[in-house]
Amino acid sequence: MKKKKRLVMRSVILAIMLAAIVYTLYANFTKETRGKIAVGDKAPDFILSDMNGDQHKLSDYKGKGVFLNFWGTWCKPCEKEMPYMNNQFEVYKNQGVEILAINVAEPEFAINKFVQKHRLTFPILKDTNKDILNLYNVTPLPTTMLINSEGTITAIETGELSEAKIRGMMESIKP
């Protein structure tokens, strides 16, 4: 009786492990096509709070160009491009171009320390549960998406951006 119980238990554990392996393989092989955001798509709408508790709804920016940046404080390329983004934000903010920088699931203390260190003046939005990161299917960080005044994604860039590249991107979505 004891041997039979042990056999059943081992079979159940083996079945669970096989199911997990099959699911992992399926998820990895289909992630490229599943929910992928592409240039030409309408940018999915979202609402996130900034560091002051103010809410930002993407669709409220219709009529403006949006430089949508996903980042983390631990990400060295993100840290390097932030001052360039801030410089260009100061140039383009009165020309109908906005920056929305979405921090991915980090504590407010870490974000605030980073913002103060780099004296950032554009809105920093908090994606505390990675909902927007997943909605936009973003990997890796940093990833920047340009959204034109009609709400259409016109470019997707991954990796660190130079100041000249950011300037050109801002210019391209200026209404």
Side-chain angles (χ1 to χ4, degrees), residues 104-117:
V104 180
E106 291 189 273
E108 277 195 37
F109 176 78
I111 302 168
N112 276 325
K113 194 171 161 188
F114 185 94
V115 167
Q116 288 168 3
K117 176 182 175 184

Side-chain angles (χ1 to χ4, degrees), residues 31-83:
K31 75 179 179 187
E32 290 303 312
T33 56
R34 192 170 14 102
K36 190 80 168 163
I37 299 279
V39 171
D41 290 351
K42 205 77 165 149
D45 203 10
F46 62 82
I47 299 174
L48 285 176
S49 295
D50 65 19
M51 299 306 291
N52 301 320
D54 298 326
Q55 295 215 323
H56 295 260
K57 185 175 182 181
L58 182 62
S59 57
D60 288 346
Y61 290 91
K62 193 171 171 105
K64 293 184 173 194
V66 177
F67 185 99
L68 186 65
N69 179 266
F70 292 85
W71 68 284
T73 60
W74 51 266
C75 163
K76 289 301 173 195
C78 302
E79 185 170 11
K80 206 165 173 196
E81 71 184 9
M82 284 288 175

Side-chain angles (χ1 to χ4, degrees), residues 72-98:
T73 60
W74 51 266
C75 163
K76 289 301 173 195
C78 302
E79 185 170 11
K80 206 165 173 196
E81 71 184 9
M82 284 288 175
Y84 303 148
M85 287 168 50
N86 204 66
N87 292 344
Q88 295 309 308
F89 173 70
E90 293 301 324
V91 171
Y92 284 92
K93 68 182 179 184
N94 296 321
Q95 298 181 43
V97 178
E98 295 286 339

Side-chain angles (χ1 to χ4, degrees), residues 99-136:
I99 290 181
L100 297 178
I102 299 178
N103 177 273
V104 180
E106 291 189 273
E108 277 195 37
F109 176 78
I111 302 168
N112 276 325
K113 194 171 161 188
F114 185 94
V115 167
Q116 288 168 3
K117 176 182 175 184
H118 296 286
R119 295 186 177 110
L120 303 177
T121 57
F122 50 80
I124 304 292
L125 310 183
K126 300 175 299 183
D127 187 9
T128 51
N129 299 318
K130 298 184 179 180
D131 294 336
I132 310 309
L133 180 84
N134 293 328
L135 175 67
Y136 277 76

Side-chain angles (χ1 to χ4, degrees), residues 38-41 66 145-149 151-156 169 172-173:
V39 171
D41 290 351
V66 177
M145 297 188 185
L146 298 184
I147 303 167
N148 69 14
S149 58
T152 302
I153 297 171
T154 61
I156 301 172
M169 293 169 83
S172 78
I173 55 172

